[in-house]
Amino acid sequence: MLNNQIVITDGAVCPRAVRNDKGVVDANELTADEWTQLRARNVNSPKAKLVQCAKCWELYREVQWMRTYSTGRGTRVVSHQPGESRPDHDYEPVESEEHRAFNDRAFMIGDAEGYNPRREAWAPNMKTRADVLLTGTLTIAYEHQHSPFSATGRYSAPERTRLAATVGRTAMWHSTSDKVRGQVPILRTDGGLPAKVIANPNYRHEFRGGIYRIEVYTCTVRNGYECPNGKFSGCGKPHARGQVTAGQLDDVLRGAPVGAYMPVMDAQVLRAPRFFWTDMASYGQYLAYIASPAVSQSGGSPAPGERTRKGGRAGHSRAKEAQLEAMRLQAVDLSTSPREAGPASHLVAPAIPSPVPGVCDTGRPKCGGPARFYPAGWRCDDHRPTTPWRSAS
């Protein structure tokens, strides 16, 4: 959404909308009822003088009255008046007290550690900006995100991370809201804290998501229930799994610029999401794991198993597979006649003589009397089948 930062001059309109200390409102964060009320009151925007562009006032000290309407698909639009020379402004979240307090804390930690922190640091190409830029062995672009990412386009989380990487920056996303989701590593701490508590250096902002420790292990029968190759008896290959680890925001802010903490992108790790942060020891183990011959180079997924009679071992033990392989190697010549039968060394089923028509074949030895054919076979009068109604009579 363009031109999302607005100032509503009438306090009776959208009184419960979240405003910063300058009275700026994020039009994208308004509820459906608030947006409907704003549109109804701002039909004739030049005359109503209700919605003012906050960015034009901040950059040029000019008062620009904005139009507010919705498209046929329900998309919210805030635009300048036709014929105005000022261009539209890109989407920028409105800085709240929480946002400012976390940026102040990151700046304070960077200043104490000698990372030469900079606020609102634009890249030389003017395509990406960091809330706080920390420069050490690595250049960390700290971003506190309190509103959901755009789903697509240049404002999506992956694209903004890519733009930061093109100028040599490592994006560090931090949020206190579960609504902030994206295909990037996001550090999560508790929200709803006053600004004084956030800025207090003695308060520990413990993580509740976004950081894991990686363990590389050999898959055995004890781990077969979660083997990615589906081998319940264990495939014998190395796998990586994640474990939730405790930590606080200050430790990562201090350690990330010197490589003590690293982001993991699109990871193939059990018990962990695809995107997270980890310590340097775990990061080194993971790099060695995905570079090992037992793991394919595409995404760190395990390499396909050795080809056997049915592809992978499919649950057979190695000893059984070796036995089956030895049996397959034994050549069988089908062009010669079969060998003569030697002395019987195994049990042979006895031959059963076929029944003789007209002779009762009941019993052992057979009855042998004159008989007629029934569904059960040749039976004489003494051995003929009986039925309940015939017995009753």
Side-chain angles (χ1 to χ4, degrees), residues 161-185:
T161 302
R162 187 192 66 82
L163 292 174
T166 56
V167 294
R169 297 180 175 182
T170 301
M172 177 187 291
W173 298 101
H174 170 229
S175 179
T176 59
S177 173
D178 292 334
K179 296 181 180 180
V180 178
R181 299 180 181 276
Q183 302 297 315
V184 292

PDB file of all heavy atoms in Angstrom, residues 161-185:
ATOM      1  N   THR A 161      15.261  -8.987   2.298  1.00  0.00           N
ATOM      2  CA  THR A 161      16.489  -9.642   2.752  1.00  0.00           C
ATOM      3  C   THR A 161      17.490  -9.755   1.609  1.00  0.00           C
ATOM      4  O   THR A 161      18.697  -9.568   1.813  1.00  0.00           O
ATOM      5  CB  THR A 161      16.161 -11.037   3.310  1.00  0.00           C
ATOM      6  OG1 THR A 161      15.211 -10.904   4.378  1.00  0.00           O
ATOM      7  CG2 THR A 161      17.399 -11.728   3.834  1.00  0.00           C
ATOM      8  N   ARG A 162      16.997 -10.056   0.409  1.00  0.00           N
ATOM      9  CA  ARG A 162      17.890 -10.152  -0.743  1.00  0.00           C
ATOM     10  C   ARG A 162      18.510  -8.801  -1.086  1.00  0.00           C
ATOM     11  O   ARG A 162      19.708  -8.711  -1.396  1.00  0.00           O
ATOM     12  CB  ARG A 162      17.119 -10.689  -1.949  1.00  0.00           C
ATOM     13  CG  ARG A 162      17.992 -10.993  -3.157  1.00  0.00           C
ATOM     14  CD  ARG A 162      17.150 -11.228  -4.397  1.00  0.00           C
ATOM     15  NE  ARG A 162      16.465 -10.008  -4.799  1.00  0.00           N
ATOM     16  CZ  ARG A 162      17.033  -9.044  -5.517  1.00  0.00           C
ATOM     17  NH1 ARG A 162      18.294  -9.151  -5.907  1.00  0.00           N
ATOM     18  NH2 ARG A 162      16.342  -7.967  -5.849  1.00  0.00           N
ATOM     19  N   LEU A 163      17.711  -7.740  -1.022  1.00  0.00           N
ATOM     20  CA  LEU A 163      18.243  -6.405  -1.301  1.00  0.00           C
ATOM     21  C   LEU A 163      19.322  -6.019  -0.299  1.00  0.00           C
ATOM     22  O   LEU A 163      20.310  -5.364  -0.650  1.00  0.00           O
ATOM     23  CB  LEU A 163      17.107  -5.383  -1.287  1.00  0.00           C
ATOM     24  CG  LEU A 163      16.082  -5.479  -2.425  1.00  0.00           C
ATOM     25  CD1 LEU A 163      14.941  -4.499  -2.208  1.00  0.00           C
ATOM     26  CD2 LEU A 163      16.757  -5.227  -3.762  1.00  0.00           C
ATOM     27  N   ALA A 164      19.144  -6.416   0.957  1.00  0.00           N
ATOM     28  CA  ALA A 164      20.183  -6.142   1.952  1.00  0.00           C
ATOM     29  C   ALA A 164      21.443  -6.952   1.667  1.00  0.00           C
ATOM     30  O   ALA A 164      22.567  -6.458   1.828  1.00  0.00           O
ATOM     31  CB  ALA A 164      19.647  -6.449   3.353  1.00  0.00           C
ATOM     32  N   ALA A 165      21.280  -8.193   1.217  1.00  0.00           N
ATOM     33  CA  ALA A 165      22.447  -9.039   0.944  1.00  0.00           C
ATOM     34  C   ALA A 165      23.240  -8.536  -0.260  1.00  0.00           C
ATOM     35  O   ALA A 165      24.461  -8.719  -0.314  1.00  0.00           O
ATOM     36  CB  ALA A 165      22.005 -10.480   0.721  1.00  0.00           C
ATOM     37  N   THR A 166      22.582  -7.904  -1.232  1.00  0.00           N
ATOM     38  CA  THR A 166      23.296  -7.410  -2.410  1.00  0.00           C
ATOM     39  C   THR A 166      24.273  -6.291  -2.083  1.00  0.00           C
ATOM     40  O   THR A 166      25.215  -6.052  -2.841  1.00  0.00           O
ATOM     41  CB  THR A 166      22.288  -6.915  -3.463  1.00  0.00           C
ATOM     42  OG1 THR A 166      21.442  -5.915  -2.877  1.00  0.00           O
ATOM     43  CG2 THR A 166      21.441  -8.070  -3.979  1.00  0.00           C
ATOM     44  N   VAL A 167      24.069  -5.604  -0.971  1.00  0.00           N
ATOM     45  CA  VAL A 167      24.993  -4.538  -0.565  1.00  0.00           C
ATOM     46  C   VAL A 167      25.860  -4.970   0.615  1.00  0.00           C
ATOM     47  O   VAL A 167      26.432  -4.126   1.307  1.00  0.00           O
ATOM     48  CB  VAL A 167      24.213  -3.248  -0.229  1.00  0.00           C
ATOM     49  CG1 VAL A 167      23.549  -2.692  -1.462  1.00  0.00           C
ATOM     50  CG2 VAL A 167      23.186  -3.499   0.869  1.00  0.00           C
ATOM     51  N   GLY A 168      25.927  -6.289   0.859  1.00  0.00           N
ATOM     52  CA  GLY A 168      26.806  -6.808   1.904  1.00  0.00           C
ATOM     53  C   GLY A 168      26.257  -6.730   3.308  1.00  0.00           C
ATOM     54  O   GLY A 168      27.026  -6.756   4.273  1.00  0.00           O
ATOM     55  N   ARG A 169      24.941  -6.668   3.446  1.00  0.00           N
ATOM     56  CA  ARG A 169      24.329  -6.594   4.781  1.00  0.00           C
ATOM     57  C   ARG A 169      23.606  -7.897   5.099  1.00  0.00           C
ATOM     58  O   ARG A 169      23.014  -8.520   4.216  1.00  0.00           O
ATOM     59  CB  ARG A 169      23.336  -5.429   4.857  1.00  0.00           C
ATOM     60  CG  ARG A 169      23.961  -4.056   4.662  1.00  0.00           C
ATOM     61  CD  ARG A 169      22.902  -2.966   4.753  1.00  0.00           C
ATOM     62  NE  ARG A 169      23.485  -1.631   4.677  1.00  0.00           N
ATOM     63  CZ  ARG A 169      22.784  -0.507   4.771  1.00  0.00           C
ATOM     64  NH1 ARG A 169      21.466  -0.565   4.949  1.00  0.00           N
ATOM     65  NH2 ARG A 169      23.385   0.658   4.676  1.00  0.00           N
ATOM     66  N   THR A 170      23.639  -8.285   6.359  1.00  0.00           N
ATOM     67  CA  THR A 170      22.896  -9.450   6.845  1.00  0.00           C
ATOM     68  C   THR A 170      21.686  -8.944   7.606  1.00  0.00           C
ATOM     69  O   THR A 170      21.831  -8.286   8.643  1.00  0.00           O
ATOM     70  CB  THR A 170      23.766 -10.328   7.751  1.00  0.00           C
ATOM     71  OG1 THR A 170      24.917 -10.763   7.033  1.00  0.00           O
ATOM     72  CG2 THR A 170      22.995 -11.534   8.238  1.00  0.00           C
ATOM     73  N   ALA A 171      20.508  -9.215   7.098  1.00  0.00           N
ATOM     74  CA  ALA A 171      19.280  -8.729   7.721  1.00  0.00           C
ATOM     75  C   ALA A 171      18.984  -9.518   8.991  1.00  0.00           C
ATOM     76  O   ALA A 171      19.024 -10.748   8.994  1.00  0.00           O
ATOM     77  CB  ALA A 171      18.117  -8.832   6.747  1.00  0.00           C
ATOM     78  N   MET A 172      18.682  -8.803  10.057  1.00  0.00           N
ATOM     79  CA  MET A 172      18.272  -9.419  11.326  1.00  0.00           C
ATOM     80  C   MET A 172      16.866  -8.923  11.638  1.00  0.00           C
ATOM     81  O   MET A 172      16.678  -7.777  12.051  1.00  0.00           O
ATOM     82  CB  MET A 172      19.226  -9.049  12.467  1.00  0.00           C
ATOM     83  CG  MET A 172      18.797  -9.620  13.829  1.00  0.00           C
ATOM     84  SD  MET A 172      19.788  -9.024  15.209  1.00  0.00           S
ATOM     85  CE  MET A 172      21.339  -9.831  14.874  1.00  0.00           C
ATOM     86  N   TRP A 173      15.882  -9.793  11.436  1.00  0.00           N
ATOM     87  CA  TRP A 173      14.489  -9.442  11.686  1.00  0.00           C
ATOM     88  C   TRP A 173      14.125  -9.805  13.110  1.00  0.00           C
ATOM     89  O   TRP A 173      14.408 -10.907  13.587  1.00  0.00           O
ATOM     90  CB  TRP A 173      13.571 -10.158  10.705  1.00  0.00           C
ATOM     91  CG  TRP A 173      13.816  -9.803   9.282  1.00  0.00           C
ATOM     92  CD1 TRP A 173      14.507 -10.521   8.354  1.00  0.00           C
ATOM     93  CD2 TRP A 173      13.388  -8.614   8.620  1.00  0.00           C
ATOM     94  NE1 TRP A 173      14.538  -9.867   7.150  1.00  0.00           N
ATOM     95  CE2 TRP A 173      13.860  -8.685   7.284  1.00  0.00           C
ATOM     96  CE3 TRP A 173      12.667  -7.485   9.018  1.00  0.00           C
ATOM     97  CZ2 TRP A 173      13.620  -7.681   6.350  1.00  0.00           C
ATOM     98  CZ3 TRP A 173      12.415  -6.493   8.089  1.00  0.00           C
ATOM     99  CH2 TRP A 173      12.888  -6.592   6.776  1.00  0.00           C
ATOM    100  N   HIS A 174      13.458  -8.869  13.775  1.00  0.00           N
ATOM    101  CA  HIS A 174      13.032  -9.071  15.163  1.00  0.00           C
ATOM    102  C   HIS A 174      11.582  -8.627  15.280  1.00  0.00           C
ATOM    103  O   HIS A 174      11.200  -7.593  14.716  1.00  0.00           O
ATOM    104  CB  HIS A 174      13.918  -8.266  16.122  1.00  0.00           C
ATOM    105  CG  HIS A 174      13.392  -8.228  17.525  1.00  0.00           C
ATOM    106  ND1 HIS A 174      13.257  -7.073  18.249  1.00  0.00           N
ATOM    107  CD2 HIS A 174      12.940  -9.229  18.326  1.00  0.00           C
ATOM    108  CE1 HIS A 174      12.758  -7.347  19.443  1.00  0.00           C
ATOM    109  NE2 HIS A 174      12.554  -8.648  19.516  1.00  0.00           N
ATOM    110  N   SER A 175      10.765  -9.408  15.974  1.00  0.00           N
ATOM    111  CA  SER A 175       9.355  -9.080  16.110  1.00  0.00           C
ATOM    112  C   SER A 175       8.837  -9.555  17.454  1.00  0.00           C
ATOM    113  O   SER A 175       9.387 -10.483  18.066  1.00  0.00           O
ATOM    114  CB  SER A 175       8.544  -9.727  14.979  1.00  0.00           C
ATOM    115  OG  SER A 175       7.169  -9.431  15.115  1.00  0.00           O
ATOM    116  N   THR A 176       7.779  -8.902  17.898  1.00  0.00           N
ATOM    117  CA  THR A 176       7.080  -9.310  19.119  1.00  0.00           C
ATOM    118  C   THR A 176       5.663  -9.780  18.819  1.00  0.00           C
ATOM    119  O   THR A 176       4.881  -9.978  19.743  1.00  0.00           O
ATOM    120  CB  THR A 176       7.028  -8.132  20.110  1.00  0.00           C
ATOM    121  OG1 THR A 176       6.352  -7.018  19.483  1.00  0.00           O
ATOM    122  CG2 THR A 176       8.430  -7.710  20.519  1.00  0.00           C
ATOM    123  N   SER A 177       5.325  -9.942  17.538  1.00  0.00           N
ATOM    124  CA  SER A 177       3.975 -10.326  17.134  1.00  0.00           C
ATOM    125  C   SER A 177       4.017 -11.638  16.377  1.00  0.00           C
ATOM    126  O   SER A 177       4.887 -11.856  15.524  1.00  0.00           O
ATOM    127  CB  SER A 177       3.351  -9.234  16.252  1.00  0.00           C
ATOM    128  OG  SER A 177       2.108  -9.662  15.729  1.00  0.00           O
ATOM    129  N   ASP A 178       3.055 -12.512  16.672  1.00  0.00           N
ATOM    130  CA  ASP A 178       2.946 -13.777  15.941  1.00  0.00           C
ATOM    131  C   ASP A 178       2.397 -13.581  14.533  1.00  0.00           C
ATOM    132  O   ASP A 178       2.469 -14.495  13.708  1.00  0.00           O
ATOM    133  CB  ASP A 178       2.043 -14.753  16.706  1.00  0.00           C
ATOM    134  CG  ASP A 178       2.674 -15.210  18.014  1.00  0.00           C
ATOM    135  OD1 ASP A 178       3.913 -15.199  18.101  1.00  0.00           O
ATOM    136  OD2 ASP A 178       1.932 -15.565  18.944  1.00  0.00           O
ATOM    137  N   LYS A 179       1.843 -12.416  14.246  1.00  0.00           N
ATOM    138  CA  LYS A 179       1.304 -12.148  12.916  1.00  0.00           C
ATOM    139  C   LYS A 179       2.405 -11.869  11.900  1.00  0.00           C
ATOM    140  O   LYS A 179       2.145 -11.897  10.696  1.00  0.00           O
ATOM    141  CB  LYS A 179       0.346 -10.969  12.968  1.00  0.00           C
ATOM    142  CG  LYS A 179      -0.892 -11.219  13.821  1.00  0.00           C
ATOM    143  CD  LYS A 179      -1.820 -10.016  13.811  1.00  0.00           C
ATOM    144  CE  LYS A 179      -3.066 -10.276  14.659  1.00  0.00           C
ATOM    145  NZ  LYS A 179      -3.981  -9.106  14.664  1.00  0.00           N
ATOM    146  N   VAL A 180       3.593 -11.554  12.368  1.00  0.00           N
ATOM    147  CA  VAL A 180       4.710 -11.267  11.462  1.00  0.00           C
ATOM    148  C   VAL A 180       5.324 -12.597  11.055  1.00  0.00           C
ATOM    149  O   VAL A 180       5.982 -13.266  11.859  1.00  0.00           O
ATOM    150  CB  VAL A 180       5.754 -10.356  12.130  1.00  0.00           C
ATOM    151  CG1 VAL A 180       6.931 -10.108  11.190  1.00  0.00           C
ATOM    152  CG2 VAL A 180       5.115  -9.046  12.546  1.00  0.00           C
ATOM    153  N   ARG A 181       5.102 -12.990   9.812  1.00  0.00           N
ATOM    154  CA  ARG A 181       5.620 -14.252   9.307  1.00  0.00           C
ATOM    155  C   ARG A 181       6.189 -14.031   7.914  1.00  0.00           C
ATOM    156  O   ARG A 181       5.705 -13.191   7.157  1.00  0.00           O
ATOM    157  CB  ARG A 181       4.523 -15.329   9.250  1.00  0.00           C
ATOM    158  CG  ARG A 181       3.916 -15.650  10.604  1.00  0.00           C
ATOM    159  CD  ARG A 181       2.848 -16.712  10.501  1.00  0.00           C
ATOM    160  NE  ARG A 181       2.259 -17.002  11.795  1.00  0.00           N
ATOM    161  CZ  ARG A 181       2.761 -17.851  12.684  1.00  0.00           C
ATOM    162  NH1 ARG A 181       3.874 -18.499  12.391  1.00  0.00           N
ATOM    163  NH2 ARG A 181       2.171 -18.066  13.834  1.00  0.00           N
ATOM    164  N   GLY A 182       7.216 -14.790   7.586  1.00  0.00           N
ATOM    165  CA  GLY A 182       7.832 -14.673   6.276  1.00  0.00           C
ATOM    166  C   GLY A 182       8.915 -15.720   6.109  1.00  0.00           C
ATOM    167  O   GLY A 182       9.338 -16.369   7.077  1.00  0.00           O
ATOM    168  N   GLN A 183       9.378 -15.896   4.880  1.00  0.00           N
ATOM    169  CA  GLN A 183      10.397 -16.893   4.585  1.00  0.00           C
ATOM    170  C   GLN A 183      11.784 -16.355   4.900  1.00  0.00           C
ATOM    171  O   GLN A 183      12.684 -16.353   4.063  1.00  0.00           O
ATOM    172  CB  GLN A 183      10.286 -17.291   3.114  1.00  0.00           C
ATOM    173  CG  GLN A 183       8.935 -17.847   2.725  1.00  0.00           C
ATOM    174  CD  GLN A 183       8.608 -19.140   3.465  1.00  0.00           C
ATOM    175  OE1 GLN A 183       9.446 -20.026   3.582  1.00  0.00           O
ATOM    176  NE2 GLN A 183       7.401 -19.256   3.967  1.00  0.00           N
ATOM    177  N   VAL A 184      11.959 -15.891   6.125  1.00  0.00           N
ATOM    178  CA  VAL A 184      13.231 -15.360   6.608  1.00  0.00           C
ATOM    179  C   VAL A 184      13.371 -15.726   8.083  1.00  0.00           C
ATOM    180  O   VAL A 184      12.385 -15.973   8.771  1.00  0.00           O
ATOM    181  CB  VAL A 184      13.313 -13.823   6.440  1.00  0.00           C
ATOM    182  CG1 VAL A 184      13.368 -13.429   4.971  1.00  0.00           C
ATOM    183  CG2 VAL A 184      12.150 -13.138   7.141  1.00  0.00           C
ATOM    184  N   PRO A 185      14.596 -15.761   8.623  1.00  0.00           N
ATOM    185  CA  PRO A 185      14.763 -15.986  10.064  1.00  0.00           C
ATOM    186  C   PRO A 185      14.244 -14.781  10.853  1.00  0.00           C
ATOM    187  O   PRO A 185      14.623 -13.647  10.572  1.00  0.00           O
ATOM    188  CB  PRO A 185      16.282 -16.155  10.224  1.00  0.00           C
ATOM    189  CG  PRO A 185      16.791 -16.483   8.863  1.00  0.00           C
ATOM    190  CD  PRO A 185      15.887 -15.783   7.902  1.00  0.00           C
TER     191      PRO A 185
END
